[in-house]
Amino acid sequence: MVENIISYFDHIPSLHRALILAGGITFFWLIEGVIPLFGFRYNKWKHASINIFFTVTTIIINFACALLIVKASDWVVANQFGLLYLVKMPLWLFMIAGLLLLDLAGAYFVHLLEHKIKWMWKFHMVHHADTHVDTTTANRHHPGESVLRVIFTMLGVVVSGAPMWMVMMYQSLSVVFTQFSHANIRLPLWLDNALSWFLVSPNMHKVHHHYMRPQTDSNYGNIFSIWDRLFGTYDATPIEQIRYGLDVLDNAKDENLPFQLQIPFDKTVKTDY
């Protein structure tokens, strides 16, 4: 079973990766209409257009840098370099450990830094500027942030020693889980709370999108919530208290593409609350 999964992700067609992205957005888009968390009064298509623009730029940057990630993965495997090779383990455990390490080094860590380092935060502001967080918000990243995330993905590969099939598996899971955690859906509270002990649930991630600190600087997890609980960055603010956007930006311009693109370079935009 594990071998079949590995074989699939080792040769996953580009079409399948595209279907995972498009299928996830479509699925959660439809579910948002059935069990919405917040009853937004907005033009859903107009809102989606700017987020899809940033999704496309993210795809282009990831595609352009794909060879670098492949080379990094090939090198660590050939040299048995990385934490995964320190201890011999069964294949199923190797897979789980690798996914956890990629999530920590390649996602949680860069997300934490983006909130702590001012110039990185200005790029990441574009993601937080969305005042109507839904499943299309998942890939709302300024092109500059997309480049940063590619760099840290390579760091995650080198630190962990992940083979390419594992990188493909992680990225595929990441697409679906981020669409899920950003989706404007209301799960039963008991279910959301139960999920949040190990995985990033919708309510947990919505706290991260609150318009001000300390909530904004919490719940950095991408797939696994254990890193937030382990490193003390978990916040359980009730969802009813959450308000989206950023109090250092003009939230009326969250769908103004030129304004969003120039945020990292606008010296009048404050980085402190």
Side-chain angles (χ1 to χ4, degrees):
M1 179 64 176
V2 175
E3 289 83 357
N4 291 336
I5 294 173
I6 290 172
S7 178
Y8 171 73
F9 283 104
D10 203 22
H11 304 91
I12 184 170
S14 297
L15 176 60
H16 288 197
R17 297 182 66 192
L19 288 173
I20 290 171
L21 174 63
I25 290 177
T26 302
F27 175 76
F28 291 117
W29 177 291
L30 294 173
I31 297 298
E32 288 175 338
V34 179
I35 50 171
L37 176 61
F38 296 117
F40 293 141
R41 294 182 178 180
Y42 71 133
N43 184 323
K44 194 172 175 73
W45 285 99
K46 182 176 183 293
H47 169 261
S49 64
I50 184 172
N51 292 345
I52 291 174
F53 169 85
F54 284 119
T55 299
V56 170
T57 60
T58 297
I59 292 170
I60 292 171
I61 289 168
N62 287 345
F63 182 79
C65 299
L67 184 60
L68 296 175
I69 296 174
V70 171
K71 291 294 185 181
S73 179
D74 288 346
W75 183 85
V76 296
V77 170
N79 292 276
Q80 297 287 282
F81 183 91
L83 296 176
L84 289 171
Y85 302 104
L86 294 180
V87 178
K88 190 171 181 60
M89 61 187 87
L91 190 56
W92 66 268
L93 185 57
F94 180 86
M95 180 176 70
I96 293 173
L99 294 175
L100 285 166
L101 286 171
L102 285 175
D103 199 56
L104 174 62
Y108 176 91
F109 184 54
V110 64
H111 199 176
L112 177 69
L113 290 181
E114 285 177 335
H115 283 253
K116 304 302 181 185
I117 299 174
K118 289 184 177 182
W119 69 266
M120 294 176 69
W121 168 237
K122 290 192 75 173
F123 282 103
H124 188 50
M125 275 183 174
V126 174
H127 183 70
H128 281 267
D130 199 337
T131 60
H132 299 96
V133 175
D134 65 16
T135 193
T136 68
T137 310
N139 291 301
R140 179 188 169 118
H141 299 300
H142 190 283
E145 181 181 3
S146 296
V147 172
L148 281 173
R149 289 188 172 250
V150 166
I151 292 171
F152 276 85
T153 294
M154 288 190 288
L155 175 64
V157 169
V158 172
V159 169
S160 65
M164 203 58 209
W165 63 262
M166 185 179 289
V167 178
M168 291 292 99
M169 180 186 292
Y170 178 79
Q171 290 185 341
S172 298
L173 290 172
S174 177
V175 165
V176 176
F177 272 93
T178 54
Q179 290 170 347
F180 170 63
S181 63
H182 286 87
N184 182 41
I185 57 176
R186 182 181 295 275
L187 297 181
L189 191 58
W190 66 266
L191 177 58
D192 197 285
N193 287 340
L195 287 173
S196 72
W197 278 100
F198 188 64
L199 301 171
V200 177
S201 67
N203 283 7
M204 176 184 170
H205 192 70
K206 299 309 190 306
V207 172
H208 179 75
H209 278 271
H210 190 53
Y211 78 109
M212 63 185 299
R213 290 171 173 162
Q215 289 86 353
T216 302
D217 293 340
S218 69
N219 299 0
Y220 299 112
N222 186 46
I223 295 179
F224 302 105
S225 63
I226 57 174
W227 306 124
D228 285 297
R229 292 183 180 276
L230 183 62
F231 298 122
T233 53
Y234 178 76
D235 188 295
T237 298
I239 197 66
E240 293 77 15
Q241 299 178 19
I242 300 305
R243 171 184 156 194
Y244 298 140
L246 284 174
D247 63 354
V248 294
L249 290 179
D250 182 352
N251 289 318
K253 295 182 178 180
D254 67 325
E255 295 178 5
N256 183 321
L257 183 58
F259 177 79
Q260 295 297 317
L261 285 170
Q262 61 83 38
I263 284 175
F265 315 105
D266 188 341
K267 294 183 179 180
T268 67
V269 173
K270 296 188 298 182
T271 55
D272 297 316
Y273 294 86

